[in-house]
Amino acid sequence: MALEGELDIATAPLLIDAVVRALAARRPRLDLDVAALTFCDAAGVHALLQARRICRVHCAGFRLVGVRPGLGRILVLLRLTDLLTSPAEPVGSGAGAGSPDPLHASSPPSRLPFPARLPLPMESMS
């Protein structure tokens, strides 16, 4: 099954419906090709996890195919690479997508420079 466009709160239910319909045909495995996804938010990631859960209930295999660097970074930061991708295909490998900047599951998540202590707001002297 190939996904394209945006996977968000508006389209996540469509994915779940499509997964249920695909598994009703008693498929032994569901590969989601996400190479053409242009956006995926928290609701989209939740839908991917829900799709995986539905596959498990139906004793069907599940994996993401064509994970591009943007989605790959999200999966690495959320530590979901092992849950959603095949061990043979590193996240961001762009299988079928020709991704120029692969992100491998073994690379550490990027760190944002947060201060050790946040400055306190100035209190007015009255």
Side-chain angles (χ1 to χ4, degrees):
M1 180 181 308
L3 306 180
E4 67 178 51
E6 299 181 355
L7 182 56
D8 57 18
I9 195 164
T11 58
L14 299 174
L15 171 61
I16 300 307
D17 289 344
V19 167
V20 169
R21 283 194 314 270
L23 293 176
R26 302 192 186 269
R27 295 179 187 228
R29 171 174 206 87
L30 180 65
D31 291 344
L32 286 181
D33 184 350
V34 295
L37 276 184
T38 57
F39 178 79
C40 183
D41 66 2
V45 172
H46 183 263
L48 294 173
L49 289 169
Q50 205 172 2
R52 178 179 167 264
R53 195 173 310 120
I54 292 168
C55 285
R56 278 188 166 181
V57 167
H58 288 87
C59 299
F62 177 86
R63 76 175 176 159
L64 296 182
V65 179
V67 178
R68 298 187 63 106
L71 180 58
R73 285 184 192 97
I74 291 170
L75 297 177
V76 168
L77 288 170
L78 295 174
R79 299 174 191 232
L80 295 175
T81 55
D82 293 339
L83 296 177
L84 293 176
T85 57
S86 166
E89 180 186 348
V91 171
S93 67
S99 173
D101 180 27
L103 177 70
H104 300 284
S106 61
S107 63
S110 59
R111 302 280 181 214
L112 297 175
F114 286 109
R117 248 173 116 186
L118 296 174
L120 298 175
M122 297 294 291
E123 294 181 340
S124 61
M125 308 273 284
S126 313

mmCIF file of all heavy atoms in Angstrom, residues 7 15-16 32 42-56 62 64 75 78-84:
data_model
loop_
_atom_site.group_PDB
_atom_site.id
_atom_site.type_symbol
_atom_site.label_atom_id
_atom_site.label_comp_id
_atom_site.label_asym_id
_atom_site.label_seq_id
_atom_site.Cartn_x
_atom_site.Cartn_y
_atom_site.Cartn_z
ATOM 1 N N LEU A 7 0.050 12.857 6.205
ATOM 2 C CA LEU A 7 -0.545 11.921 7.151
ATOM 3 C C LEU A 7 -0.678 12.671 8.464
ATOM 4 O O LEU A 7 0.296 12.906 9.174
ATOM 5 C CB LEU A 7 0.324 10.668 7.316
ATOM 6 C CG LEU A 7 -0.207 9.577 8.239
ATOM 7 C CD1 LEU A 7 -1.606 9.124 7.815
ATOM 8 C CD2 LEU A 7 0.740 8.406 8.265
ATOM 9 N N LEU A 15 -6.137 6.028 6.653
ATOM 10 C CA LEU A 15 -5.111 4.986 6.676
ATOM 11 C C LEU A 15 -5.609 3.764 7.435
ATOM 12 O O LEU A 15 -5.486 2.630 6.961
ATOM 13 C CB LEU A 15 -3.817 5.501 7.314
ATOM 14 C CG LEU A 15 -2.754 4.438 7.596
ATOM 15 C CD1 LEU A 15 -2.298 3.764 6.308
ATOM 16 C CD2 LEU A 15 -1.590 5.021 8.350
ATOM 17 N N ILE A 16 -6.181 3.995 8.595
ATOM 18 C CA ILE A 16 -6.667 2.870 9.407
ATOM 19 C C ILE A 16 -7.742 2.091 8.652
ATOM 20 O O ILE A 16 -7.734 0.857 8.633
ATOM 21 C CB ILE A 16 -7.181 3.360 10.780
ATOM 22 C CG1 ILE A 16 -6.060 4.066 11.547
ATOM 23 C CG2 ILE A 16 -7.771 2.215 11.573
ATOM 24 C CD1 ILE A 16 -4.781 3.263 11.687
ATOM 25 N N LEU A 32 3.829 -0.688 3.923
ATOM 26 C CA LEU A 32 3.371 0.670 3.650
ATOM 27 C C LEU A 32 4.510 1.441 3.007
ATOM 28 O O LEU A 32 5.537 1.675 3.644
ATOM 29 C CB LEU A 32 2.945 1.379 4.941
ATOM 30 C CG LEU A 32 1.643 0.966 5.576
ATOM 31 C CD1 LEU A 32 1.386 1.794 6.830
ATOM 32 C CD2 LEU A 32 0.488 1.116 4.614
ATOM 33 N N ALA A 42 2.085 14.023 14.769
ATOM 34 C CA ALA A 42 1.898 13.055 15.851
ATOM 35 C C ALA A 42 0.719 12.125 15.578
ATOM 36 O O ALA A 42 0.792 10.921 15.848
ATOM 37 C CB ALA A 42 1.708 13.777 17.180
ATOM 38 N N ALA A 43 -0.354 12.659 15.019
ATOM 39 C CA ALA A 43 -1.509 11.815 14.689
ATOM 40 C C ALA A 43 -1.138 10.813 13.605
ATOM 41 O O ALA A 43 -1.608 9.671 13.618
ATOM 42 C CB ALA A 43 -2.687 12.684 14.248
ATOM 43 N N GLY A 44 -0.277 11.213 12.689
ATOM 44 C CA GLY A 44 0.179 10.312 11.645
ATOM 45 C C GLY A 44 1.030 9.192 12.194
ATOM 46 O O GLY A 44 0.883 8.028 11.812
ATOM 47 N N VAL A 45 1.950 9.534 13.102
ATOM 48 C CA VAL A 45 2.784 8.512 13.739
ATOM 49 C C VAL A 45 1.902 7.561 14.539
ATOM 50 O O VAL A 45 2.091 6.338 14.498
ATOM 51 C CB VAL A 45 3.866 9.155 14.631
ATOM 52 C CG1 VAL A 45 4.603 8.099 15.438
ATOM 53 C CG2 VAL A 45 4.843 9.967 13.792
ATOM 54 N N HIS A 46 0.925 8.112 15.232
ATOM 55 C CA HIS A 46 -0.011 7.272 15.994
ATOM 56 C C HIS A 46 -0.755 6.329 15.053
ATOM 57 O O HIS A 46 -0.961 5.140 15.377
ATOM 58 C CB HIS A 46 -0.993 8.145 16.769
ATOM 59 C CG HIS A 46 -1.926 7.357 17.623
ATOM 60 N ND1 HIS A 46 -3.203 7.032 17.213
ATOM 61 C CD2 HIS A 46 -1.770 6.799 18.844
ATOM 62 C CE1 HIS A 46 -3.791 6.318 18.151
ATOM 63 N NE2 HIS A 46 -2.950 6.156 19.146
ATOM 64 N N ALA A 47 -1.147 6.811 13.878
ATOM 65 C CA ALA A 47 -1.847 5.959 12.911
ATOM 66 C C ALA A 47 -0.939 4.839 12.412
ATOM 67 O O ALA A 47 -1.397 3.715 12.215
ATOM 68 C CB ALA A 47 -2.350 6.805 11.737
ATOM 69 N N LEU A 48 0.352 5.144 12.226
ATOM 70 C CA LEU A 48 1.290 4.092 11.807
ATOM 71 C C LEU A 48 1.412 3.025 12.891
ATOM 72 O O LEU A 48 1.445 1.829 12.600
ATOM 73 C CB LEU A 48 2.652 4.694 11.492
ATOM 74 C CG LEU A 48 2.711 5.627 10.283
ATOM 75 C CD1 LEU A 48 4.082 6.280 10.185
ATOM 76 C CD2 LEU A 48 2.359 4.888 9.009
ATOM 77 N N LEU A 49 1.474 3.456 14.140
ATOM 78 C CA LEU A 49 1.541 2.493 15.248
ATOM 79 C C LEU A 49 0.251 1.685 15.347
ATOM 80 O O LEU A 49 0.276 0.485 15.621
ATOM 81 C CB LEU A 49 1.818 3.222 16.560
ATOM 82 C CG LEU A 49 3.225 3.790 16.710
ATOM 83 C CD1 LEU A 49 3.302 4.715 17.924
ATOM 84 C CD2 LEU A 49 4.246 2.676 16.812
ATOM 85 N N GLN A 50 -0.864 2.356 15.117
ATOM 86 C CA GLN A 50 -2.150 1.669 15.153
ATOM 87 C C GLN A 50 -2.245 0.652 14.010
ATOM 88 O O GLN A 50 -2.750 -0.461 14.207
ATOM 89 C CB GLN A 50 -3.266 2.711 15.037
ATOM 90 C CG GLN A 50 -4.568 2.310 15.609
ATOM 91 C CD GLN A 50 -5.553 3.473 15.628
ATOM 92 O OE1 GLN A 50 -5.261 4.584 15.179
ATOM 93 N NE2 GLN A 50 -6.727 3.204 16.134
ATOM 94 N N ALA A 51 -1.742 1.017 12.843
ATOM 95 C CA ALA A 51 -1.743 0.089 11.704
ATOM 96 C C ALA A 51 -0.913 -1.143 12.029
ATOM 97 O O ALA A 51 -1.313 -2.275 11.738
ATOM 98 C CB ALA A 51 -1.197 0.794 10.460
ATOM 99 N N ARG A 52 0.232 -0.927 12.665
ATOM 100 C CA ARG A 52 1.082 -2.054 13.071
ATOM 101 C C ARG A 52 0.355 -2.947 14.071
ATOM 102 O O ARG A 52 0.394 -4.173 13.984
ATOM 103 C CB ARG A 52 2.380 -1.524 13.675
ATOM 104 C CG ARG A 52 3.297 -2.610 14.168
ATOM 105 C CD ARG A 52 4.564 -1.974 14.733
ATOM 106 N NE ARG A 52 5.308 -2.941 15.482
ATOM 107 C CZ ARG A 52 5.242 -3.090 16.808
ATOM 108 N NH1 ARG A 52 4.481 -2.325 17.527
ATOM 109 N NH2 ARG A 52 5.957 -4.001 17.414
ATOM 110 N N ARG A 53 -0.339 -2.332 15.018
ATOM 111 C CA ARG A 53 -1.087 -3.089 16.026
ATOM 112 C C ARG A 53 -2.197 -3.916 15.373
ATOM 113 O O ARG A 53 -2.408 -5.082 15.731
ATOM 114 C CB ARG A 53 -1.673 -2.113 17.050
ATOM 115 C CG ARG A 53 -2.159 -2.758 18.311
ATOM 116 C CD ARG A 53 -2.587 -1.735 19.366
ATOM 117 N NE ARG A 53 -1.570 -0.708 19.588
ATOM 118 C CZ ARG A 53 -1.761 0.608 19.404
ATOM 119 N NH1 ARG A 53 -2.930 1.066 19.019
ATOM 120 N NH2 ARG A 53 -0.792 1.466 19.624
ATOM 121 N N ILE A 54 -2.886 -3.339 14.408
ATOM 122 C CA ILE A 54 -3.953 -4.050 13.703
ATOM 123 C C ILE A 54 -3.367 -5.249 12.952
ATOM 124 O O ILE A 54 -3.954 -6.339 12.952
ATOM 125 C CB ILE A 54 -4.697 -3.098 12.749
ATOM 126 C CG1 ILE A 54 -5.482 -2.059 13.557
ATOM 127 C CG2 ILE A 54 -5.629 -3.866 11.823
ATOM 128 C CD1 ILE A 54 -6.005 -0.903 12.733
ATOM 129 N N CYS A 55 -2.209 -5.058 12.351
ATOM 130 C CA CYS A 55 -1.554 -6.171 11.649
ATOM 131 C C CYS A 55 -1.205 -7.299 12.614
ATOM 132 O O CYS A 55 -1.383 -8.478 12.295
ATOM 133 C CB CYS A 55 -0.298 -5.676 10.929
ATOM 134 S SG CYS A 55 -0.659 -4.739 9.433
ATOM 135 N N ARG A 56 -0.720 -6.935 13.785
ATOM 136 C CA ARG A 56 -0.379 -7.962 14.780
ATOM 137 C C ARG A 56 -1.606 -8.754 15.197
ATOM 138 O O ARG A 56 -1.554 -9.967 15.343
ATOM 139 C CB ARG A 56 0.252 -7.324 16.013
ATOM 140 C CG ARG A 56 1.698 -7.036 15.832
ATOM 141 C CD ARG A 56 2.283 -6.607 17.140
ATOM 142 N NE ARG A 56 3.729 -6.645 17.063
ATOM 143 C CZ ARG A 56 4.520 -6.350 18.046
ATOM 144 N NH1 ARG A 56 4.024 -5.992 19.208
ATOM 145 N NH2 ARG A 56 5.818 -6.401 17.899
ATOM 146 N N PHE A 62 4.223 -6.469 9.140
ATOM 147 C CA PHE A 62 4.081 -5.034 8.904
ATOM 148 C C PHE A 62 5.456 -4.403 8.782
ATOM 149 O O PHE A 62 6.366 -4.739 9.544
ATOM 150 C CB PHE A 62 3.335 -4.379 10.073
ATOM 151 C CG PHE A 62 3.211 -2.886 9.938
ATOM 152 C CD1 PHE A 62 2.169 -2.338 9.216
ATOM 153 C CD2 PHE A 62 4.136 -2.037 10.519
ATOM 154 C CE1 PHE A 62 2.050 -0.958 9.084
ATOM 155 C CE2 PHE A 62 4.027 -0.661 10.394
ATOM 156 C CZ PHE A 62 2.986 -0.128 9.670
ATOM 157 N N LEU A 64 7.387 -0.448 7.167
ATOM 158 C CA LEU A 64 7.397 0.761 6.352
ATOM 159 C C LEU A 64 8.469 0.612 5.290
ATOM 160 O O LEU A 64 9.559 0.108 5.564
ATOM 161 C CB LEU A 64 7.705 1.991 7.209
ATOM 162 C CG LEU A 64 6.706 2.351 8.289
ATOM 163 C CD1 LEU A 64 7.142 3.617 9.006
ATOM 164 C CD2 LEU A 64 5.313 2.520 7.717
ATOM 165 N N LEU A 75 11.101 9.118 13.487
ATOM 166 C CA LEU A 75 11.107 7.755 14.037
ATOM 167 C C LEU A 75 12.312 7.520 14.936
ATOM 168 O O LEU A 75 12.207 6.849 15.960
ATOM 169 C CB LEU A 75 11.075 6.725 12.909
ATOM 170 C CG LEU A 75 9.828 6.742 12.027
ATOM 171 C CD1 LEU A 75 9.959 5.717 10.911
ATOM 172 C CD2 LEU A 75 8.572 6.511 12.840
ATOM 173 N N LEU A 78 11.743 9.433 18.256
ATOM 174 C CA LEU A 78 10.729 8.751 19.069
ATOM 175 C C LEU A 78 11.109 7.311 19.406
ATOM 176 O O LEU A 78 10.367 6.618 20.081
ATOM 177 C CB LEU A 78 9.374 8.765 18.346
ATOM 178 C CG LEU A 78 8.753 10.137 18.153
ATOM 179 C CD1 LEU A 78 7.491 10.038 17.307
ATOM 180 C CD2 LEU A 78 8.454 10.788 19.495
ATOM 181 N N ARG A 79 12.280 6.886 18.923
ATOM 182 C CA ARG A 79 12.784 5.533 19.148
ATOM 183 C C ARG A 79 11.819 4.466 18.646
ATOM 184 O O ARG A 79 11.551 3.471 19.322
ATOM 185 C CB ARG A 79 13.133 5.314 20.612
ATOM 186 C CG ARG A 79 14.209 6.274 21.067
ATOM 187 C CD ARG A 79 14.468 6.171 22.527
ATOM 188 N NE ARG A 79 15.304 7.281 22.927
ATOM 189 C CZ ARG A 79 16.418 7.153 23.606
ATOM 190 N NH1 ARG A 79 16.829 5.986 23.985
ATOM 191 N NH2 ARG A 79 17.121 8.217 23.924
ATOM 192 N N LEU A 80 11.313 4.696 17.445
ATOM 193 C CA LEU A 80 10.357 3.776 16.843
ATOM 194 C C LEU A 80 10.922 3.046 15.641
ATOM 195 O O LEU A 80 10.197 2.338 14.956
ATOM 196 C CB LEU A 80 9.091 4.538 16.411
ATOM 197 C CG LEU A 80 8.277 5.163 17.525
ATOM 198 C CD1 LEU A 80 7.127 5.974 16.955
ATOM 199 C CD2 LEU A 80 7.759 4.099 18.472
ATOM 200 N N THR A 81 12.193 3.199 15.372
ATOM 201 C CA THR A 81 12.759 2.584 14.172
ATOM 202 C C THR A 81 12.636 1.069 14.194
ATOM 203 O O THR A 81 12.333 0.459 13.177
ATOM 204 C CB THR A 81 14.228 2.989 13.986
ATOM 205 O OG1 THR A 81 14.957 2.660 15.166
ATOM 206 C CG2 THR A 81 14.357 4.466 13.696
ATOM 207 N N ASP A 82 12.854 0.447 15.316
ATOM 208 C CA ASP A 82 12.760 -1.008 15.399
ATOM 209 C C ASP A 82 11.316 -1.487 15.308
ATOM 210 O O ASP A 82 11.059 -2.604 14.880
ATOM 211 C CB ASP A 82 13.370 -1.528 16.695
ATOM 212 C CG ASP A 82 14.870 -1.308 16.736
ATOM 213 O OD1 ASP A 82 15.480 -1.136 15.669
ATOM 214 O OD2 ASP A 82 15.432 -1.301 17.845
ATOM 215 N N LEU A 83 10.384 -0.654 15.707
ATOM 216 C CA LEU A 83 8.984 -1.059 15.699
ATOM 217 C C LEU A 83 8.353 -0.970 14.319
ATOM 218 O O LEU A 83 7.483 -1.757 13.986
ATOM 219 C CB LEU A 83 8.173 -0.166 16.655
ATOM 220 C CG LEU A 83 8.526 -0.260 18.128
ATOM 221 C CD1 LEU A 83 7.695 0.731 18.923
ATOM 222 C CD2 LEU A 83 8.296 -1.664 18.633
ATOM 223 N N LEU A 84 8.787 -0.001 13.524
ATOM 224 C CA LEU A 84 8.077 0.262 12.285
ATOM 225 C C LEU A 84 8.824 -0.095 11.013
ATOM 226 O O LEU A 84 8.250 -0.040 9.945
ATOM 227 C CB LEU A 84 7.673 1.744 12.218
ATOM 228 C CG LEU A 84 6.636 2.168 13.260
ATOM 229 C CD1 LEU A 84 6.387 3.657 13.173
ATOM 230 C CD2 LEU A 84 5.341 1.417 13.074
#
